[in-house]
Amino acid sequence: MLVLDGDQASTLSIVRALARRGLAVEVASDVEHPLAASSRHVAACLRYPDPLRDEAGFVAWLRQQLDERRRGLVIPVTERTLVPLMRARSRFEGEPIAMASAEALEQVLDKDRTGALARSLGIPVPRSIVVASPAEAVAAAKDLGYPVVVKPARSVGGGAGERVQLRVAYAFDDAGLEAEATSALRHGAVILQEYFRGDGVGIELIADQGEVRYAFQHRRLHEVPLTGGGSTLRVSEAPVPALLEASRKLMQALRWHGVAMVEFKYQPQTGAFVLVEINGRFWGSLPLAVAAGADFPAMLHELWTTGHVGDWPAARSGIVARHLARDIDWSEHVLRKAAPPQLVTLPSKREVLRDWLLMFSPRHHFDVQSWRDPWPGLVDLGRIASHQARRFGAIVAQRRRLERELRAAAPARQRLRKARRIVFLCHGNINRSALAQAYAERRYPGRFEFASAGFHSPAGRPADPTMVDVAATAAGGVELGAWHSRTLDARLVADADIVFAMEVAHLDRLAREHPAAGGKAYLLGAASASNPAQVEVPDPYGKTRAVYERVCKQVLTSVDAWLQPPQD
């Protein structure tokens, strides 16, 4: 047996489950020391080229492996490996690779086609519109209403040369939608979808030529990000009949062969639900299914080696499984309130503590940590400790840097007394630096010569529409409607007597690309800040209007703090 994607917790679960059946298992990955390789059940660990960066190299690697040595079964665990193998299926005819037919996979990998299939079967789906430009997205949102889900048509985007893992995003107004659509459209088609509030529920199954032979249900208790994503804590449940029936219809229509997870949003109070997507592979919450008695890896091996799935005992309800590293992230997201209140009702600290105390329940399992196979768990704990230590070190270093920038305001004021030309700098020159220049020119005419720029190219872009509106109202009438962005160049840097940047990252990039700026670049927020946390002016691009208003106020206050004459 060869299991790919060796650094996934679900891969480790597959390895452990197959080893319990007496099977010899090898793992492979594109990273040097994948998590599953530390399991005592792994016979060997192999390494392949990164499929996202070198798809052809990955396919050639697996072809060579199969030519050199016969494998009982090859299991791709994520779309990183599944998609290249699907595209190169002709090179693997007759080989034991656990994936559904090309036609069925194409259907589930394309979310628009998945939605069309569901509608044809009478399965509820959120209203969706495929858009090809930010302008189309904004127009479509008028029909769908906000908040709106911005969903790439495929989870992995890009061409055969280099691909990227894409994400689902949410927008609450036109500016945010334009930003998210612009980003997502770089990698392919985008689906705009109405938002449906409900619990994340997955029907996990194995099917034999379209007939579901075994099914299991889990409900997400914790997700990262909080708006909806991979589950970090989840519980097993008896399948909801309506969800199970919808899953059966989909599998029959696809003539699905193998494992899959059908994901829904479900409202227990009303029974209403919508289909979210179909994962045509093993899923991230697989450790819960195995812990509850739904041994899908063994069932998949049985299906591919004997041609059928026999009778397996029903899974237990009420079993809880946790991905420790990611659930720590979940707790941090909750404590930082890192989710828009329009979408997420945050749990209380008492509820967070209650969920962590589940670790002492006999119903609780970890995705990675296991007494019977301890080394992966220890490796994972080491990674968690190392990650947190690096983060803490970075936070300390960042605070010290901000303290230095705050102290630098005093010598900057001395330089400002002799300055004639001031340049404001941010990334795109369509929000913060544009506002700073426009406000400074209106508020302090004749005192200085003002300019602004950004690192982003090409130049000539209009100001962010939300900032145009905020500046015209909250800023007392600063006009940005005719604005056109400028890209920073060496001449502008050389002519400037002082440069006011918005973030430390801008200062660092300025120093790298324009060493002549040394000694005359400072943070705009340093003059008005009362502590290091207020020194940087954050980028509002694509965020809510409230964020734009806070940033606008900070920019204006900072400009005044630097430029207002002492006698005013």
Side-chain angles (χ1 to χ4, degrees):
M1 305 285 290
L2 177 61
V3 187
L4 308 179
D5 303 285
D7 207 44
Q8 303 293 312
S10 48
T11 299
L12 177 62
S13 187
I14 295 168
V15 167
R16 288 168 170 169
L18 295 177
R20 284 195 294 269
R21 300 287 165 177
L23 297 166
V25 185
E26 296 179 346
V27 298
S29 174
D30 63 315
V31 300
E32 187 172 358
H33 299 293
L35 180 67
S38 54
S39 171
R40 66 186 182 89
H41 302 298
V42 170
C45 179
L46 309 175
R47 189 171 182 182
Y48 49 71
D50 183 349
L52 293 183
R53 297 183 180 276
D54 185 7
E55 182 174 316
F58 165 71
V59 170
W61 174 89
L62 183 58
R63 182 64 270 172
Q64 182 180 1
Q65 290 293 318
L66 294 173
D67 288 341
E68 292 177 353
R69 182 179 171 192
R70 181 174 178 79
R71 285 330 199 274
L73 185 62
V74 178
I75 303 177
V77 180
T78 73
E79 289 178 11
R80 290 168 61 101
T81 53
L82 180 65
V83 171
L85 296 180
M86 178 194 70
R87 290 174 173 170
R89 183 180 289 269
S90 61
R91 297 187 60 182
F92 297 99
E93 289 295 335
E95 297 289 1
I97 301 178
M99 56 182 178
S101 69
E103 182 180 358
L105 278 172
E106 283 285 358
Q107 184 95 8
V108 303
L109 289 170
D110 187 323
K111 294 179 176 61
D112 188 40
R113 291 180 61 189
T114 302
L117 174 64
R119 285 189 291 271
S120 73
L121 298 172
I123 297 170
V125 295
R127 287 190 302 149
S128 303
I129 301 174
V130 180
V131 297
S133 69
E136 285 187 19
V138 171
K142 298 185 185 307
D143 177 47
L144 297 174
Y146 288 107
V148 67
V149 185
V150 184
K151 182 178 290 189
R154 290 174 176 264
S155 299
V156 177
E162 182 169 344
R163 299 177 298 128
V164 293
Q165 194 76 40
L166 304 178
R167 65 181 179 89
V168 173
Y170 303 87
F172 306 96
D173 53 35
D174 289 355
L177 176 56
E178 184 177 358
E180 293 293 353
T182 299
S183 175
L185 283 164
R186 295 200 305 265
H187 306 291
V190 168
I191 300 171
L192 216 62
Q193 195 173 81
E194 68 176 343
Y195 181 74
F196 181 92
R197 187 181 291 272
D199 295 341
V201 174
I203 297 290
E204 303 160 7
L205 54 86
I206 187 166
D208 180 359
Q209 301 300 337
E211 296 300 319
V212 175
R213 300 303 184 191
Y214 190 98
F216 169 84
Q217 177 175 306
H218 80 271
R219 177 168 52 88
R220 296 176 172 184
L221 302 178
H222 296 171
E223 298 175 279
V224 174
L226 302 180
T227 51
S231 65
T232 65
L233 182 72
R234 77 295 290 190
V235 62
S236 62
E237 299 178 325
V240 174
L243 303 185
L244 180 57
E245 179 59 26
S247 301
R248 290 186 186 278
K249 288 181 179 179
L250 289 165
M251 294 300 105
Q252 288 172 350
L254 292 165
R255 290 195 56 79
W256 192 264
H257 194 68
V259 295
M261 194 266 277
V262 187
E263 183 181 345
F264 299 93
K265 284 287 187 178
Y266 174 64
Q267 297 176 346
Q269 303 85 352
T270 65
F273 69 92
V274 294
L275 174 71
V276 176
E277 64 181 357
I278 302 172
N279 287 322
R281 49 170 172 78
F282 277 119
W283 44 93
S285 56
L286 175 65
L288 170 64
V290 176
D295 196 342
F296 284 104
M299 294 182 215
L300 181 67
H301 178 261
E302 182 181 45
L303 176 64
W304 278 86
T305 55
T306 70
H308 71 279
V309 177
D311 294 329
W312 289 78
R316 293 171 290 155
S317 296
I319 303 300
V320 176
R322 184 191 310 267
H323 190 290
L324 181 59
R326 300 191 70 236
D327 210 42
I328 292 173
D329 290 342
W330 174 86
S331 298
E332 182 183 336
H333 279 63
V334 170
L335 295 176
R336 289 195 293 107
K337 299 181 180 180
Q342 303 97 316
L343 299 183
V344 177
T345 301
L346 294 172
S348 66
K349 293 181 181 179
R350 181 187 295 272
E351 290 170 323
V352 172
L353 177 60
R354 178 202 63 196
D355 286 353
W356 277 103
L357 290 176
L358 284 172
M359 289 191 300
F360 300 101
S361 167
R363 299 182 294 109
H364 180 279
H365 296 262
F366 287 105
D367 288 5
V368 178
Q369 285 71 26
S370 169
W371 291 112
R372 295 179 179 178
D373 186 23
W375 280 112
L378 294 174
V379 169
D380 189 50
L381 290 174
R383 290 181 177 183
I384 292 171
S386 177
H387 172 68
Q388 295 300 330
R390 287 195 304 271
R391 288 193 63 222
F392 179 75
I395 291 171
V396 170
Q398 176 74 352
R399 183 175 180 83
R400 289 176 177 171
R401 173 68 183 279
L402 293 175
E403 288 172 347
R404 291 197 301 272
E405 297 299 335
L406 185 57
R407 292 194 297 269
R413 291 187 186 279
Q414 298 298 320
R415 187 182 189 97
L416 191 60
R417 291 178 181 178
K418 301 178 181 179
R420 287 298 306 156
R421 185 172 179 82
I422 295 175
V423 174
F424 299 102
L425 174 67
C426 68
H427 176 71
N429 194 220
I430 61 172
N431 275 306
R432 296 166 289 178
S433 61
L435 174 65
Q437 179 186 344
Y439 176 70
E441 288 176 339
R442 194 202 71 179
R443 182 81 168 84
Y444 305 99
R447 284 194 60 205
F448 300 94
E449 185 179 345
F450 297 107
S452 66
F455 295 107
H456 190 283
S457 61
R461 297 183 303 147
D464 186 321
T466 302
M467 187 58 81
V468 172
D469 185 52
V470 168
T473 54
V478 177
E479 176 58 46
L480 291 175
W483 183 264
H484 292 91
S485 67
R486 179 175 182 177
T487 302
L488 187 70
D489 55 38
R491 182 171 182 176
L492 186 60
V493 173
D495 291 346
D497 295 311
I498 194 164
V499 177
F500 286 124
M502 305 296 154
E503 302 173 33
V504 166
H506 301 155
L507 292 180
D508 292 342
R509 182 170 177 180
L510 180 65
R512 289 194 307 270
E513 297 181 4
H514 301 279
K520 61 180 179 182
Y522 305 91
L523 289 180
L524 179 67
S528 61
S530 58
N531 61 69
Q534 299 172 346
V535 172
E536 294 186 293
V537 180
D539 189 355
Y541 187 62
K543 297 183 173 62
T544 64
R545 183 184 177 90
V547 174
Y548 280 81
E549 291 172 348
R550 287 197 298 270
V551 168
C552 179
K553 181 179 180 181
Q554 186 180 5
V555 168
L556 271 53
T557 301
S558 298
V559 169
D560 285 338
W562 282 112
L563 304 183
Q564 197 169 56
Q567 63 270 24
D568 278 7

